[in-house]
Amino acid sequence: MKRFRGFVIKEFYHIFRDKRTLVILFGMPIVQILLFGYAVTNEINNVDLAILDKSKDTETQKIINDIEASKYFKISDMLDDEGQIESIFKKGQVKAVLVFGPNFDKNLVTQNSADVQIITDATEPNVANSVSNYLSSILQKYQTDINKAIKVPYQIVPETRMYYNPELKSVFMFVPGIMTVILMLVSAIMTSISITREKELGTMEILLVSPLKPFQVILGKVFPYVFLAIVNAIVILALGFFVFKMPIQGSYFLLALESILFIFSALSLGILISTISETQQTAMMASLMGLMLPTILLSGFIFPISSMPVALQVISNIIPAKWFIILIKGILLKGVGITVLWKETLVLLAMITVFIGVSIKKYKIRLE
């Protein structure tokens, strides 16, 4: 036990004396969570908007005032005719143009309807869709306000209520995703590179014939990354809670337990990659291609899995990150317990068993 403790301390020294590794381990989580929290967002704010008002009456001015009063749009230009719309889009100055038809006020009174057109720059489809929805919402509110005094029989008024994220803050999606990516980075990639480095330098054979048992060598190599991954998880959750007001509705104990479970699944993947890699470069490429890209693309972090082709939905089931994101969102946002999340927990346990089993088999073949 004394030899094992000395070996683990040596591994910590090896990590802390490498400044580049420290930057990756502690700098990247902070930078990414702040970047995704503030810069990468699905919400729109201060979007440049142009107005083409063919009517120029009091009602259109009321709508323009409502738009200016919102935090979502900034009216950057007032157009004179349709010929200016294409040119202003080509310059990239605005994301949308709101066109009021002629005689807007008069048509409202005499015909009970008036023409309004929303034209968006769809080179960024998601932004264009959001801008269109936001403008439609403002117009709908204006329509509701002017119809308050009008009684319409059998009127159906839908009321929308958003559970778990009523303000639709995108940071609530990014914090669990970033936590998953960082834990995968620290646990799997760093572990695979650390073990492969010993093989590449020829020191793994020396360690395996030392008084330490083979499982102690592997355990000693991965133990520092368990500790560092836990520290990173705490840092990310603290930033999410204190900086972005990310709620933690569920059990802290269950959150810690599931996080450690995911860390072990990522570590077991790192060990598995190290068994098939002879060089650090190979381990890095295998980790990036086999872990990081699927974690980002196929875990449901950014893109909904239900919208993917069936083949990719099937492949996503073997990615630990998918199940951890379900777990952490359930605990953080919904406050659910193990009675709801038992299936995802069992999947992670099964993955750990399979990855460790294959790794042990591979290392036994090597030793023979």
Side-chain angles (χ1 to χ4, degrees):
M1 188 63 189
K2 186 176 181 180
R3 292 193 186 97
F4 176 71
R5 184 169 63 251
F7 180 66
V8 171
I9 293 173
K10 186 269 293 183
E11 288 298 318
F12 273 109
Y13 281 141
H14 181 74
I15 293 172
F16 288 131
R17 73 183 180 184
D18 187 347
K19 294 182 179 179
R20 291 174 299 180
T21 302
L22 289 178
V23 170
I24 293 174
L25 291 176
F26 296 109
M28 187 176 293
I30 296 174
V31 171
Q32 285 200 359
I33 195 68
L34 294 176
L35 181 65
F36 274 81
Y38 285 117
V40 183
T41 175
N42 292 330
E43 303 160 21
I44 65 169
N45 289 291
N46 298 316
V47 173
D48 287 323
L49 177 70
I51 303 288
L52 174 56
D53 189 357
K54 300 178 181 179
S55 182
K56 293 184 172 59
D57 54 40
T58 56
E59 295 303 317
T60 58
Q61 189 58 50
K62 287 180 182 178
I63 297 174
I64 293 172
N65 291 339
D66 288 343
I67 294 173
E68 286 183 320
S70 75
K71 64 178 181 178
Y72 308 116
F73 299 103
K74 180 176 62 176
I75 298 178
S76 60
D77 209 342
M78 298 296 292
L79 306 183
D80 297 320
D81 56 69
E82 288 90 343
Q84 295 177 288
I85 296 176
E86 186 174 357
S87 62
I88 202 170
F89 275 144
K90 286 183 177 180
K91 292 177 183 178
Q93 295 177 351
V94 300
K95 295 296 182 183
V97 176
L98 185 64
V99 182
F100 293 101
N103 302 316
F104 188 90
D105 193 354
K106 181 180 177 181
N107 289 339
L108 274 179
V109 175
T110 59
Q111 302 177 17
N112 296 324
S113 66
D115 296 329
V116 181
Q117 186 178 21
I118 300 172
I119 306 174
T120 58
D121 178 359
T123 53
E124 298 178 49
N126 291 335
V127 174
N129 187 52
S130 296
V131 167
S132 177
N133 290 336
Y134 278 53
L135 282 173
S136 297
S137 178
I138 293 174
L139 293 171
Q140 184 64 40
K141 182 179 180 300
Y142 165 79
Q143 178 177 307
T144 302
D145 290 341
I146 63 175
N147 287 331
K148 281 182 178 178
I150 303 175
K151 295 182 179 180
V152 181
Y154 307 114
Q155 186 177 13
I156 299 175
V157 181
E159 180 180 343
T160 303
R161 183 179 179 184
M162 302 290 181
Y163 264 57
Y164 311 122
N165 186 8
E167 297 180 12
L168 298 179
K169 291 184 177 180
S170 57
V171 70
F172 287 8
M173 175 188 75
F174 288 130
V175 168
I178 289 298
M179 183 174 174
T180 304
V181 171
I182 293 299
L183 293 184
M184 183 65 74
L185 172 69
V186 173
S187 304
I189 297 181
M190 299 303 293
T191 298
S192 64
I193 293 174
S194 174
I195 297 176
T196 308
R197 183 192 301 120
E198 302 288 353
K199 292 164 59 179
E200 186 176 4
L201 297 176
T203 55
M204 179 59 81
E205 286 75 11
I206 298 174
L207 291 173
L208 291 175
V209 297
S210 68
L212 291 171
K213 296 180 180 179
F215 82 90
Q216 290 180 316
V217 173
I218 301 301
L219 189 60
K221 296 293 292 182
V222 303
F223 182 82
Y225 295 106
V226 175
F227 174 78
L228 294 173
I230 292 173
V231 171
N232 276 321
I234 293 172
V235 170
I236 292 170
L237 288 173
L239 285 172
F241 182 78
F242 291 108
V243 178
F244 300 110
K245 311 303 179 185
M246 178 85 180
I248 303 179
Q249 304 283 7
S251 166
Y252 287 83
F253 175 77
L254 182 61
L255 177 61
L257 182 65
E258 299 293 359
S259 298
I260 293 172
L261 192 62
F262 177 68
I263 289 170
F264 276 111
S265 69
L267 286 170
S268 61
L269 262 176
I271 296 172
L272 180 59
I273 290 174
S274 72
T275 66
I276 60 176
S277 304
E278 297 295 336
T279 65
Q280 296 179 67
Q281 185 177 8
T282 304
M284 175 67 78
M285 292 301 295
S287 298
L288 289 175
M289 297 298 293
L291 296 180
M292 293 305 296
L293 287 178
T295 295
I296 295 173
L297 299 177
L298 300 178
S299 64
F301 167 25
I302 298 177
F303 310 106
I305 295 176
S306 58
S307 301
M308 298 178 186
V310 176
L312 293 180
Q313 292 185 39
V314 173
I315 293 174
S316 71
N317 290 323
I318 63 173
I319 298 174
K322 169 191 173 180
W323 304 102
F324 182 64
I325 286 178
I326 295 173
L327 286 166
I328 195 171
K329 283 185 177 179
I331 296 170
L332 291 179
L333 299 178
K334 298 181 180 180
V336 298
I338 193 65
T339 54
V340 175
L341 302 174
W342 62 270
K343 182 178 71 173
E344 290 79 10
T345 304
L346 289 179
V347 170
L348 284 183
L349 284 171
M351 287 182 175
I352 294 173
T353 304
V354 171
F355 297 149
I356 292 294
V358 174
S359 300
I360 291 174
K361 184 177 180 181
K362 290 282 185 181
Y363 272 113
K364 281 184 177 181
I365 292 173
R366 284 187 173 277
L367 291 174
E368 291 171 358

